Amino acid sequence: MTAEPSAELLDRALIEEAAKKSGLLWVRRDGGRDRALWHAWVDQAVVVVGDGGEQPLGDLGTGLDVVVTLRSRDKWGRLVAFRAHTELLAPHSEAWQAAVDELKGKRLNALDHDTIADRWAADAQVLRMVPQGPSVEHPGAMPDVAHAAAPAPTGATTREPIPAALPRLVFGRKRRGAS
């Protein structure tokens, strides 16, 4: 007879599988806004690269406690959220190299794919987010409130109304009876 896996092991397995299968996660500092980031899973932690021409990390840095939310790959809904502690990886360290090797495979549209590690070492930050404790949300323990948020403030605007001809261009002209 085999022993049942503990709740902690099942929780860690859910976090790992969700992180491996999802290409996008949300990170939030206490009291802050959720920030969507692409990521990779390396050595039992989530790693992200940002700034220096990559995704903006904003106020994320080393030594922070954050909440990381992962979605289900098939349904795209919230699957699991967990607390994590951030660590800034030193360029060219062993942990940094392992993270960069995995992240390079996820960064498919980089123009400088062959030299991207050098650019990241010079200009970007590679953060590692290590899960801490049990998940705060998981199947069977999800909050009842909606997680919709107002869009982030931006100066972007629409300059003028859409052209009158656009619907015809998009949906095509109505054809008259076939002759």
Side-chain angles (χ1 to χ4, degrees), residues 3 5 13 25 28 37-38 53 55 64 78 81 96 102 106 111 113 131 140 151 154 156:
L25 56 73
R28 180 184 71 245
L37 300 170
W38 60 272
Q55 58 193 345
L64 300 174
R78 297 168 70 90
W96 182 89
E102 194 67 31
K106 304 270 185 180
L111 297 175
H113 194 70
T154 179

Side-chain angles (χ1 to χ4, degrees), residues 81-116:
F82 60 93
R83 295 199 176 279
H85 188 74
T86 63
E87 302 170 357
L88 180 62
L89 301 178
H92 303 294
S93 66
E94 189 175 318
W96 182 89
Q97 193 61 52
V100 166
D101 289 344
E102 194 67 31
L103 287 164
K104 277 174 52 174
K106 304 270 185 180
R107 185 67 163 90
L108 301 177
N109 58 351
L111 297 175
D112 60 344
H113 194 70
D114 295 336
T115 60
I116 199 166

